[in-house]
Amino acid sequence: MMASENFLILDSILTDSGFTYPGRLKSFRTKWNIRASEMSKRTFNPIRTIVDNMKIEPNPEKAMITLSIGDPTVFGNLPTNEKILQAMKEAVDSARFNGYSPSVGYERSRDAVANFYSCPESPLKAKPEKSWEIDLQHMEALIDDKTACILVNNPSNPCGSVFNKSHLQNILAVAARNYLPIIADEIYADMVFSECNFIALGSLSRNVPILSCGGLAKRWLVPGWRMGWILIHDRNEILTREIRHGLVCLSQRILGPCTIVQGALENILNKTTQEFYDETNSILKSNADLCFNALAMVPGLRPIRPCGTMYMMVGIDIDDFPEFKSDIDFTEHLIMEQSVFCLPATCFEYPNFFRVILTVPENLMMEACNRIRTFCEHHFQSQEHSSVPDSECYK
């Protein structure tokens, strides 16, 4: 989860200068034959693979509204907190964070994260060396001798669900029964609506080792700063020295996370106001209610009310739209006709749904919903339509 370095890949055309090295030996190769590595060919991002291959043009008569990618900075209506920006300015002005840091990060930065997330039930120390509900029956049936761990994404992208305490305890019971550690993706920790409650999985575990992944990207609204962390919850010292050493080795691939953000991290965590978090969640909740209420009235759609994060999933009664073969086909035509870009849920291996983001300004949220309704009314062909369920938050 530690931030990786990003490379700009630029193509340039070079002309042959005609220069030859003296005494050059004849090569055993007779032509250029440069191949991609096996690792690069195995690397797969389902969202980018589908979205980047969409070769469609939006309706030129309508301004584009993008509800696809979860970047809260796009529309400018969710700026980060001034305390966060000030912390970054102070880190830059200090000139103390311009060199390489240790691969696992500065100790003061790790200490700041440990203090921020530590609780009596699950205390954390700065050193690594110490320190939609799941169908549980189906999940356990999938476990075999090749299973390395259980991945839990809570609060959930793309569903916007937040698991309650009982469900989390049941997940832990499955993990304990099968002697499997858990990787907890908690990047949306505490980015939940007022009627719901986020519980960190590490605070509930008595014996199951948990690697909890978090970062600045979502809750602090700065995805471009590329700063994340892994919290190791391992009360019974189950994780071997080999596992901890492996985590350090992985962090060394990129020569450490961004030093300037590390320098600002302690102030970001400790000086960001609660009002900032509350205001962000309030805006997201308002948009979630607006979008759910609007799309619940649209024939052929089944929105699922979220409990947090910045997303909402919308089911498509695909049989009611016989012109379209899939959610990808549906969303492509939505772009072409209405210039509204939603993410087909095939990206998440969950077909016949699409995901909308809730970070847009309210007027654009309403405009997008109106266009989606117009599109569906135009293509809807069923004679009967079932009522839309209002899912309960997992409190």
Side-chain angles (χ1 to χ4, degrees):
M1 193 67 183
M2 285 297 188
S4 61
E5 294 187 64
N6 295 310
F7 295 91
L8 295 177
I9 302 175
L10 309 176
D11 278 341
S12 64
I13 300 175
L14 303 179
T15 57
D16 188 351
S17 65
F19 178 80
T20 59
Y21 291 96
R24 179 181 177 185
L25 298 176
K26 183 177 180 180
S27 172
F28 66 91
R29 293 178 177 169
T30 59
K31 61 180 180 180
W32 289 102
N33 185 26
I34 303 172
R35 308 288 298 275
S37 70
E38 290 303 312
M39 182 177 182
S40 71
K41 288 188 285 188
R42 289 196 302 267
T43 301
F44 175 71
N45 183 323
I47 295 179
R48 295 262 56 100
T49 298
I50 292 175
V51 171
D52 291 349
N53 287 319
M54 283 185 168
K55 307 299 182 185
I56 65 268
E57 294 293 330
N59 186 336
E61 297 181 1
K62 297 189 176 186
M64 186 70 163
I65 303 177
T66 299
L67 304 180
S68 57
I69 303 301
D71 182 348
T73 70
V74 169
F75 296 94
N77 61 311
L78 288 173
T80 193
N81 188 261
E82 181 58 36
K83 297 286 187 181
I84 298 172
L85 298 177
Q86 184 60 37
M88 283 293 285
K89 294 172 185 174
E90 291 174 1
V92 172
D93 290 342
S94 74
R96 291 188 290 118
F97 307 105
N98 293 332
Y100 286 125
S101 73
S103 296
V104 295
Y106 293 124
E107 183 165 358
R108 59 169 285 181
S109 303
R110 290 184 282 120
D111 196 49
V113 174
N115 290 336
F116 189 80
Y117 285 100
S118 192
C119 61
E121 300 82 7
S122 183
L124 291 163
K125 296 182 180 180
K127 299 186 180 295
E129 56 270 28
K130 292 294 181 186
S131 173
W132 303 19
E133 293 196 336
I134 297 170
D135 183 338
L136 297 172
Q137 269 192 315
H138 178 65
M139 180 181 74
E140 192 160 14
L142 296 175
I143 297 172
D144 58 24
D145 58 354
K146 295 181 180 179
T147 305
C149 67
I150 296 173
L151 174 62
V152 178
N153 175 217
N154 178 57
S156 169
N157 170 18
C159 302
S161 59
V162 180
F163 295 156
N164 62 31
K165 182 177 180 179
S166 175
H167 191 60
L168 292 172
Q169 289 172 327
N170 288 335
I171 295 171
L172 287 168
V174 172
R177 211 160 38 237
N178 292 274
Y179 301 99
L180 287 173
I182 290 178
I183 297 177
D185 179 355
E186 297 179 333
I187 189 69
Y188 292 97
D190 290 310
M191 207 173 192
V192 299
F193 304 150
S194 56
E195 67 272 22
C196 304
N197 183 35
F198 167 75
I199 301 173
L201 195 56
S203 68
L204 301 178
S205 177
R206 295 182 179 179
N207 56 348
V208 176
I210 295 171
L211 303 181
S212 174
C213 306
L216 292 181
K218 305 301 183 178
R219 187 180 179 192
W220 285 268
L221 306 178
V222 285
W225 291 7
R226 313 306 296 161
M227 173 59 66
W229 45 77
I230 297 176
L231 312 179
I232 301 176
H233 303 279
D234 186 22
R235 300 183 194 180
N236 296 331
E237 301 289 335
I238 295 171
L239 294 180
T240 64
R241 183 172 292 276
E242 177 185 356
I243 298 296
R244 295 170 184 271
H245 177 68
L247 289 172
V248 174
C249 289
L250 287 173
S251 72
Q252 291 170 343
R253 287 173 61 92
I254 58 163
L255 296 178
C258 176
T259 56
I260 300 296
V261 183
Q262 284 191 74
L265 191 55
E266 184 175 0
N267 284 340
I268 290 174
L269 295 176
N270 295 326
K271 294 187 178 180
T272 303
T273 62
Q274 184 61 43
E275 289 77 12
F276 166 71
Y277 303 130
D278 293 342
E279 177 65 17
T280 300
N281 289 342
S282 176
I283 291 172
L284 296 175
K285 175 65 163 63
S286 177
N287 270 348
D289 290 342
L290 186 160
C291 189
F292 177 86
N293 292 332
L295 297 186
M297 306 301 294
V298 175
L301 296 186
R302 294 174 288 108
I304 309 299
R305 190 186 295 276
C307 294
T309 75
M310 53 179 65
Y311 309 105
M312 186 171 76
M313 288 281 272
V314 181
I316 309 168
D317 294 325
I318 202 69
D319 291 339
D320 291 341
F321 301 97
E323 297 171 67
F324 308 128
K325 297 175 291 185
S326 66
D327 54 314
I328 296 177
D329 199 19
F330 181 97
T331 53
E332 285 181 340
H333 281 79
L334 180 59
I335 296 171
M336 289 189 288
E337 295 181 27
Q338 295 294 332
S339 296
V340 176
F341 186 9
C342 300
L343 192 67
T346 292
C347 293
F348 307 103
E349 299 184 6
Y350 207 75
N352 297 334
F353 276 77
F354 62 85
R355 188 193 75 176
V356 300
I357 61 166
L358 304 172
T359 57
V360 301
E362 184 176 297
N363 63 317
L364 286 183
M365 189 86 265
M366 181 60 76
E367 173 65 19
C369 290
N370 288 337
R371 293 189 197 176
I372 294 171
R373 185 189 71 244
T374 299
F375 175 82
C376 290
E377 289 175 347
H378 178 68
H379 293 282
F380 182 77
Q381 294 187 26
S382 177
Q383 297 301 312
E384 56 185 22
H385 182 54
S386 59
S387 60
V388 179
D390 183 353
S391 69
E392 291 293 327
C393 288
Y394 300 125
K395 298 178 184 176

